[in-house]
Amino acid sequence: MSYQVLARKYRPQRFEEVVKQEHITKPLANALTSGRLAHAILLSGPRGTGKTSIARILAKCVNCESGPTAAPCNTCRSCREITSGHAADVFEIDGASNNKVENVRELRENANYMPAQSPYKIYIIDEVHMLSDSAFNALLKILEEPPAHVKFFFATTEPNKIPITILSRCQRHDCRRVDVNSIIKHMALLCEKENIDISTDALTIIAREADGSIRDALSLLDLIITSTVESIGTDQIVDILGGLDRQSLFDMSQAVFEQNAGKIIEIIDRLYDRGQNMIKLFSELLEHFRNLLVVKLGGSTGALSDVSEFELNAMQEQVKNIPRIYIHQILDILFKEENNIRQSSQPKLAMEIAFIRVIQIRPALSIETLIEKIDILQKGFTEKLPAEGVSYPNHPAPPSDNVSKPAPAPENQIPPNITPDITPNARDYQPPIPEKKAPVHEVRENRPSKIYEDAPQNDRNAQIKDEPIEKSWEKILTRLAGDNPALAACFRDSQLKKISDSQLEIIFKTNQFNINYANRDKNPSLIQNACSLYFGNDMQVSLSGRLPKNKSGMAQKKEAKALENETLNHPLVEEAMKIFNGKIVEIKII
Ligand SMILES: [Zn+2]
């Protein structure tokens, strides 16, 4: 009993059975239904994606006894002959071995005779781009004035090698590379029919090796089936195909996230011993980390065409608690190291060094964390000085265990020998959503402000009542500067207006930068608390800006310049530059 390979046994016999080429099969089916099928059709695309299968189905469609039809019966004499490859009026020609002008001349002569048994004479020329120039010229003549009973179906992997004169006389359809998930589904279906026990993980390895080709996938599956006796696991597949098991990639990324150098070296060693090409492995790892980043950014299988759903879930789980900026940093280093590995005489060693470099980085800080750190540092600095303009007695020092210690979250740790990356590249990073809540805010909000409690309430009320509102505002801001200097700086050119005993309005006279910052996150509630504490009752505070609108181009430029100057001189920016020894590369007005 002869074994029929899967690719032949399950060759599609109707349009619906062609995997993932609906964008071609549907228009062709419509053309057949409406009787408008072109006399010359060119099917292009990567190998093993269904070009020749579609050409054969087309031949059946036009020559079926119940045709022309979009759904050939597959039972009539014509259909059966085409399936078996013995149809008298369907000529399958290999363009590579019949590429001479004489071959095409013969074809032309033959084409002039009427079909023997069917409505059409059909010429399927595979790899048509292999024809010689003179052969193409000979073909052009018949394409210009084709006999009514002739149809040409061409297939090619390299349409760019076909002369434009030929292309312009064909209706062109491009087959697409088949995605991993579709290949897996197709193979799983066939394995079920064949009663073959194989895991999704194993199918994933085969599908990826097939690189978008259904035919290659089925050939590999054949190889696996004929090489193994029991149920098929990933180990056998890796041994047979010599490919990379996907689990190793996940093990590797896990080791990187855990910053486990020993494990990384062990995995690289294991794959090296197995004969894995180190350069190819590095490319796979690069792609794997890229996919992890896409998953972290919320990407689905659409953005990850080579990732199965099974893997997507595993990826989501793996990056769940990893800050995306950290994955970005890893990718950054891997990209920089790629050339070293490619050019190294010892790629294994170069790869080990690259990954050791990777695990030495620490997650970059988000903008929010930077602001927090600046506030903490500046606060530590200002509290050492006597508070100017504040006449309240007994200003207590804040509990030292609350504020002066850096937060324990990994994002907030900077090793002394590493400068945080706030170069222009880092500016492009999306700041991560803080995974852990920094305790700084909580500390500030919960800390009792004894300064107000200590003063006798009645005296203070009387004092405040007589005080000009500008003075009150100045005092509130001075106090706020101790707690939150960046926020206080935003109100530098603002005005406080008392609307009622419990309502205040802050009017900005500066720029949008300050207004935006004041409205950000918890800042509105912080300023509201500061006012409430000062006035001794709950105050409702609204923020408003009086920025001139609809200015002329000149005025806008002037304002942009002023805004730039203001940003450059903003205490927050100055402080950031001082602390991180940074420089301003660009100011974007948003
Ligand atoms: Zn038929």
Side-chain angles (χ1 to χ4, degrees), residues 5 32 40 98 189 199 202 211 217 263 273-274 282 341 368 517 581:
V5 294
L32 282 158
N98 297 281
L189 197 76
S199 68
D211 195 26
K263 202 169 162 192
D273 289 345
R274 218 188 259 169
F282 189 76
I341 291 161
E368 281 78 7
Y517 188 76
N581 195 23

Side-chain angles (χ1 to χ4, degrees), residues 64-66 72-76 79:
C64 180
E65 283 172 12
S66 57
C73 68
N74 276 317
T75 52
C76 71
C79 285

Side-chain angles (χ1 to χ4, degrees), residues 486-494 507-518 546-548 551 556-577 584 586-589:
L487 182 59
C490 288
F491 296 105
R492 205 168 40 171
D493 290 323
S494 66
I507 302 158
F508 285 94
K509 288 187 274 182
T510 56
N511 55 52
Q512 199 62 41
F513 178 90
N514 284 339
I515 299 176
N516 289 346
Y517 188 76
R546 282 187 190 160
L547 292 177
K551 287 183 179 172
Q556 270 179 1
K557 271 186 192 169
K558 212 172 159 186
E559 188 181 292
K561 190 72 201 160
L563 198 57
E564 271 186 30
N565 284 336
E566 178 139 0
T567 309
L568 278 172
N569 297 323
H570 197 282
L572 186 64
V573 177
E574 281 176 359
E575 200 66 29
M577 290 194 334
I584 292 172
E586 190 191 358
I587 297 172
K588 271 188 188 168
I589 298 168

Side-chain angles (χ1 to χ4, degrees), residues 463-482:
Q463 208 179 8
I464 290 167
K465 209 175 175 185
D466 298 337
E467 187 176 74
I469 188 79
E470 295 81 25
K471 196 74 194 161
S472 305
W473 187 217
E474 203 183 311
K475 287 179 181 174
I476 293 168
L477 289 184
T478 313
R479 179 69 192 95
L480 184 66

Side-chain angles (χ1 to χ4, degrees), residues 69-140:
T69 170
C73 68
N74 276 317
T75 52
C76 71
R77 182 190 47 78
S78 170
C79 285
R80 278 187 283 117
E81 282 180 358
I82 294 172
T83 305
S84 63
H86 300 112
D89 295 312
V90 178
F91 304 90
E92 276 199 46
I93 301 160
D94 173 24
S97 50
N98 297 281
N99 61 349
K100 297 188 185 72
V101 65
E102 296 79 37
N103 302 122
V104 178
R105 281 196 189 128
E106 275 172 32
L107 182 155
R108 265 168 49 195
E109 274 172 36
N110 179 280
N112 285 325
Y113 294 103
M114 291 301 286
Q117 295 162 325
S118 321
Y120 292 95
K121 265 194 164 172
I122 294 162
Y123 295 91
I124 298 174
I125 306 183
D126 203 6
E127 298 300 350
V128 68
H129 65 271
M130 298 291 276
L131 295 189
S132 65
D133 288 347
S134 46
F136 270 126
N137 281 335
L139 186 65
L140 183 61

